[in-house]
Every structure is written in C-alpha cells, then in structure tokens.
Amino acid sequence: EVIADPLLLRVMTASMRETVRVARRLGIRFGTVQGVTGRVLGLLGSAPLAIGAWFPRLLASRMGPVPNPGSTLQSIRRGHLTEIDFLNGAVVAAAAAGGLTAPINEQIVHLVHEVERSGAFVAPAEVVARVAV
C-alpha cells in the first residue's frame, strides 16, 4: 500500500536515501539486498527521489502478489510494540553517534511510537504533511 501511494512512496524512498547517506558518511558498506549489490544500493543515496523509488518498487515486486504486511504493521495490528527503534531508530542513533542527523527517519520513529501509544493510524496525507521530505 505504501508503494502504491506516490506520496508515501516518496517518504519511504527519502528515508532509505537518508539511511544510505548516513551510512556513507559513517563509512558503512552495504551487502547485497534482494540481488541488488551494495554498490548499486549506494546509488540510492545520490539519486533524486523519483529515480530512487525504483528500489522499494523492486523489493515489492520480488515479494510477489500475495500481500506481505511489514513486521511493524503486524506488531501494531496485534497491539504490540514495534521494532521501529531497531530499524529507523537505529539509523537515527548511528547518525547521532557520528555527529549527524537523520530527520526523516526520526520523524518516522515518532509517528510509529505515536501509533503504538494511541492505537490510531495516521492517515497518509498526515504522514506526508508531518514528514518533511
């Protein structure tokens, strides 16, 4: 659903691009993900968002036609805490440890914690309004 929504796809791509940029600045190298080499994945850090969106689309296409909700969504649906602090939160923490910032990932972490606390999902338009891309 995120990938099908052009505005949410933009937020997702921006968070991935920010992650790659932080990793580069910290000297972290990527392995292969879904057949995409770390070197190619590294291009996501410098690609415009419209071009960088190929990566999440590629990942989705390789998952097949059966709906595959992410683990964060599965946790929220069960009323459990998510692993957001170990995903996007890890990017925020690594950036801070290296004297950098990761504002997009940080905003996503805040939104997910808000949903965990309230049990109420945030509408896509609100996500886009609150996550500065």
Side-chain angles (χ1 to χ4, degrees), residues 15 19 83-93 105-106 108-109:
S15 74
T19 299
E83 69 286 0
I84 196 68
D85 291 324
F86 300 99
L87 300 171
N88 301 73
V91 176
V92 175
N105 282 280
E106 185 172 11
I108 290 170
V109 170

Side-chain angles (χ1 to χ4, degrees), residues 7-8 10-12 14-15 18 103-112 122 124-133:
L7 295 176
L8 290 178
R10 183 175 171 82
V11 171
M12 174 187 261
S15 74
E18 182 178 83
I104 295 167
N105 282 280
E106 185 172 11
Q107 291 168 332
I108 290 170
V109 170
H110 289 302
L111 281 171
V112 172
V122 179
E126 173 112 5
V127 171
V128 171
R130 291 175 57 187
V131 178
V133 174

Side-chain angles (χ1 to χ4, degrees), residues 51-84:
I51 293 171
W54 66 269
F55 186 65
R57 285 187 183 120
L58 174 68
L59 294 178
S61 72
R62 291 185 176 179
M63 289 182 193
V66 176
N68 184 8
S71 59
T72 301
L73 178 57
Q74 291 179 40
S75 294
I76 290 170
R77 286 179 174 167
R78 291 183 185 119
H80 297 151
L81 294 177
T82 70
E83 69 286 0
I84 196 68

